Amino acid sequence: ASSGQSLPGSSHMSTLVSGKPSKKPKLTDAAGAPAEVLGNVIIQFHSSTGDRTGPSLDVPASVTPEQLEVLLNGLLQSEEKLPYSFYVEEQELADELGIHLVKHKMSVESALRVVYQPQAVFRVRPVSRCTASMPGHSESVLSVAFSPDGKQLVSGSGDTTVRFWDLSTQLPKTEGKGHNGWVLVVAWSPDAQFVASGDMKGAIWLWDGKTGKALGSCGGHKKWITSISWEPTHRAEPNIRRFASGSRDNIVSVWDAHSRRCLFSMSNHSMVVTSVKWGGEGLIYSASRDCSISAWDANDGKLVRTFKGHAHWVNTLALSSEHALRTGAFDHSGQAPSDPVEAKAVALKRYEVATQGQAERMVSGSDDFTMFLWTPSASKQHVARMTGHVQTVNQVCFSPDGRWILSASFDKSVKLWDGVKGTFLATFRAHVGPVYQVAWSSDSRMFISGSKDSTLKVWDLRTRKLKVDLPGHADEVFCVDWSPDGAGVASGGKDHVIKLWRT
C-alpha cells in the first residue's frame, strides 16, 4: 500500500520492510556525545488504541512531523487531510525524527513504534488581555459558566443572585433573584434552554436560558447543593429535560426541569455528596466524603456499583466525554440544528466521535492527595492510581478530546496525566498559592488555571510551558471557564468582579 510513496522534501522512498534495517542509525559518536542521526529509521504507525496502521516503513532520519502527517493521511486514505500529533515512547515528536531520538536517548534496535493522535481541525487562539471587568455582584463570585454555544455567560455569587451577562456588549443582561443563600453552583442544560442554580440553603432555581427569567424553584434538599449535572442531549427523550443534584444532605436527586418535580432520589452515601456527573452511557455518578463513588441507573435510580479505593474525602469527578456532554449538538462554532430529533442525532454522533467506540472513563480526586482512573461502566476496579500531589486535589478535568487529565491542587501545582493509562506526564508550577480551578480550550491545545494568588495562567500543552500570565483580579480567583466556541475566558473570585479575557 505504501511502496513508492515518497515523503515531501525527501529523495528517499518509504518502502515496505520485512526484516531489520541493515544499518542502525548512529545516535552517539565515539566520545559518547550526541551526533546527527544518519541513514534511515524503520517506523510502524500505531493508533492511540494500539492498533497497527499500515506496514513498517523505511523513512529518513530527517523526516518531520509534517511529512509524517502527509504519509499517514495517505495510508489512511483520508478524504480530508486531518492534522495529527505523533508520539515516540510517549514523547511528542516536535523536531526531525533523528533529532528527537538523540534528544531523548532512544534506541532503534527494532521498528520504531510511532503513535498518532488526531488533533482538532480548528485552532483556539490564546487569551492575552482582559477586555472587560464587569462589576455587579456585591459578594464573591463562586461560579461562572458559558452556555454550550458559547454565546452567553451566567454567574452565581455569595450575594444570593444569579446574573446573566451580555457577551457582545460585555454588560449585565439580567439579575436573577430568588435564592436566600450563597449561590454555589450554576449549570447550563446542553441545549442552552435552561440554567439550574443551587444554593447554600438547599434550594435549586431554574432560569430561562434565553431571557434569564426565573422559572421557579425545586424544593427537596435539606442542606446546601454541591453539584448539578444535566442529562446528555443524546440520551434525553424529546421535550423532557432532566438533571441531577448532589447535596450536603447525602442525597442525589433527579428532577424534571419542566415540572420542577423530583422524579426520584438516590442515597447510599453516609456523608456529603461532593460531585455528581450524568454520564453518556445511562449512568449517574456521585462522589462523597464517605470515600466512595457510586454509579446509578439514570432510568430508575437503582444502584449499579460502588467504587472504593480513596482513603479520604472524594472531592471531584470528571468524565472523558464531558466536553461532548456539555455542548450536546453544538459544534465548536456554536451551531446546532433547531429540530430536537435532528439535534439528538447530531449530539449522539459527537458523543461517538468523542469516545471513539471506547467505554467512558472517569477520574476522581481526593483529600488523600491521590486520584483514581476508572472505566466505570465496565468494572469497579480502577485502571490506575495516580500519585504525586502533596496536598488536597481540588479539581480534575479531562481535555475535550479525552486524551489528557489535569489536576489542580492546594500544593500550588497543576499536573498533567495520560487520560487513557493514568500515567504522570508533567507538573506546571508558577502559581504561588493553591490552584482552585482549571479549564481547557476546546481544541485541547491549551488550558488556563485560576489560583488563590489572584492570577490566571494560560499554559501550552505541547511545550508544557507557561504561555500567558494574566494578573488583574484584586483577590483570590475562585472560578474560571473557557468558552466552548474558544472566543474567551471568564473568571470570578473574591473581588466581586467578573473578568472577560480575549485574544
Side-chain angles (χ1 to χ4, degrees):
S2 60
S3 57
Q5 177 154 14
S6 63
L7 286 163
S10 164
S11 58
H12 295 269
M13 306 291 269
S14 305
T15 51
L16 190 63
V17 176
S18 53
K20 289 187 177 180
S22 56
K23 183 181 177 185
K24 304 287 187 301
K26 187 179 176 189
L27 298 188
T28 53
D29 59 20
E36 189 179 344
V37 177
L38 304 171
N40 287 14
V41 180
I42 298 187
I43 64 168
Q44 173 66 59
F45 284 124
H46 286 260
S47 70
S48 55
T49 53
D51 302 323
R52 287 164 67 113
T53 302
S56 297
L57 301 170
D58 189 358
V59 298
S62 61
V63 68
T64 64
E66 291 76 22
Q67 292 171 331
L68 287 177
E69 197 173 277
V70 173
L71 187 55
L72 180 63
N73 273 305
L75 282 174
L76 295 172
Q77 297 177 329
S78 314
E79 286 181 23
E80 286 183 79
K81 297 297 175 244
L82 298 173
Y84 290 92
S85 51
F86 299 93
Y87 297 83
V88 180
E89 291 181 18
E90 298 189 358
Q91 299 286 337
E92 185 172 357
L93 184 65
D95 307 300
E96 291 180 7
L97 182 58
I99 294 169
H100 181 86
L101 294 175
V102 170
K103 192 187 288 183
H104 296 286
K105 301 189 173 87
M106 290 178 182
S107 158
V108 283
E109 287 300 309
S110 56
L112 194 66
R113 181 187 166 100
V114 177
V115 178
Y116 62 89
Q117 302 259 24
Q119 292 208 296
V121 290
F122 59 96
R123 190 173 280 274
V124 174
R125 292 166 64 192
V127 294
S128 56
R129 62 202 170 90
C130 179
T131 59
S133 290
M134 304 189 298
H137 285 299
S138 57
E139 283 295 337
S140 297
V141 180
L142 304 176
S143 52
V144 291
F146 281 101
S147 57
D149 58 4
K151 292 179 171 56
Q152 295 193 78
L153 177 71
V154 70
S155 60
S157 164
D159 65 8
T160 76
T161 67
V162 172
R163 283 178 180 261
F164 288 76
W165 305 87
D166 188 320
L167 291 176
S168 52
T169 62
Q170 302 187 350
L171 292 169
K173 189 172 159 189
T174 54
E175 181 183 28
K177 293 185 175 177
H179 287 288
N180 291 317
W182 294 3
V183 181
L184 302 173
V185 55
V186 290
W188 285 87
S189 63
D191 61 1
Q193 298 299 311
F194 295 96
V195 172
S197 57
D199 71 22
M200 213 161 174
K201 298 280 178 73
I204 297 169
W205 277 78
L206 283 163
W207 315 86
D208 185 303
K210 289 198 173 93
T211 65
K213 285 183 179 160
L215 300 173
S217 64
C218 308
H221 285 298
K222 302 283 191 296
K223 293 183 179 175
W224 76 49
I225 309 298
T226 56
S227 185
I228 293 174
S229 185
W230 287 84
E231 182 175 24
T233 303
H234 74 271
R235 296 202 70 93
E237 294 300 321
N239 303 318
I240 295 178
R241 289 290 168 268
R242 299 190 299 165
F243 66 91
S245 60
S247 167
R248 211 176 162 87
D249 62 10
N250 311 353
I251 291 171
V252 178
S253 294
V254 173
W255 309 82
D256 181 321
H258 289 289
S259 66
R260 300 188 296 283
R261 284 188 311 109
C262 179
L263 301 174
F264 49 86
S265 291
M266 295 97 78
S267 178
N268 75 330
H269 291 298
S270 58
M271 291 179 75
V272 178
V273 175
T274 53
S275 181
V276 173
K277 297 287 178 189
W278 197 314
E281 299 172 322
L283 294 173
I284 297 170
Y285 307 104
S286 60
S288 169
R289 285 188 177 177
D290 65 12
C291 311
S292 76
I293 302 158
S294 298
W296 313 86
D297 189 310
N299 292 321
D300 55 17
K302 286 200 174 97
L303 182 65
V304 176
R305 56 176 64 96
T306 55
F307 307 91
K308 294 190 172 165
H310 283 296
H312 210 309
W313 300 348
V314 185
N315 297 322
T316 174
L317 290 179
L319 297 174
S320 57
S321 56
E322 209 159 315
H323 184 77
L325 300 181
R326 172 191 178 177
T327 51
F330 292 101
D331 63 15
H332 67 268
S333 62
Q335 303 300 312
S338 53
D339 176 57
V341 178
E342 198 182 333
K344 183 173 179 175
V346 169
L348 177 60
K349 190 173 180 190
R350 291 188 75 241
Y351 176 77
E352 287 169 346
V353 168
T355 53
Q356 298 180 339
Q358 305 294 311
E360 210 164 45
R361 283 160 282 125
M362 177 175 73
V363 63
S364 55
S366 166
D367 260 34
D368 66 8
F369 314 164
T370 73
M371 299 146 63
F372 278 91
L373 183 63
W374 318 82
T375 312
S377 60
S379 167
K380 62 181 187 179
Q381 299 301 319
H382 61 263
V383 176
R385 181 170 182 260
M386 300 144 76
T387 60
H389 281 297
V390 292
Q391 286 193 44
T392 293
V393 178
N394 274 327
Q395 190 205 14
V396 288
C397 191
F398 270 97
S399 59
D401 60 15
R403 290 185 353 222
W404 318 98
I405 296 167
L406 287 175
S407 55
S409 169
F410 271 155
D411 65 13
K412 307 174 188 173
S413 75
V414 178
K415 289 187 186 290
L416 178 73
W417 315 79
D418 184 291
V420 177
K421 300 194 284 282
T423 47
F424 169 75
L425 297 172
T427 301
F428 300 85
R429 296 186 198 280
H431 285 295
V432 293
V435 185
Y436 290 144
Q437 273 202 336
V438 286
W440 284 92
S441 64
S442 50
D443 64 355
S444 303
R445 290 184 174 100
M446 292 174 291
F447 65 91
I448 190 163
S449 54
S451 164
K452 184 176 180 175
D453 67 11
S454 83
T455 70
L456 294 146
K457 298 188 192 298
V458 181
W459 308 85
D460 187 294
L461 179 72
R462 192 178 65 78
T463 63
R464 312 272 161 90
K465 290 198 168 77
L466 179 65
K467 205 171 180 77
V468 191
D469 198 355
L470 299 172
H473 277 287
D475 212 325
E476 305 180 27
V477 181
F478 290 145
C479 48
V480 61
D481 193 20
W482 203 315
S483 173
D485 65 359
V489 167
S491 59
K494 207 170 177 180
D495 61 3
H496 312 175
V497 173
I498 288 177
K499 288 188 178 285
L500 286 178
W501 310 84
R502 301 261 166 97
T503 53

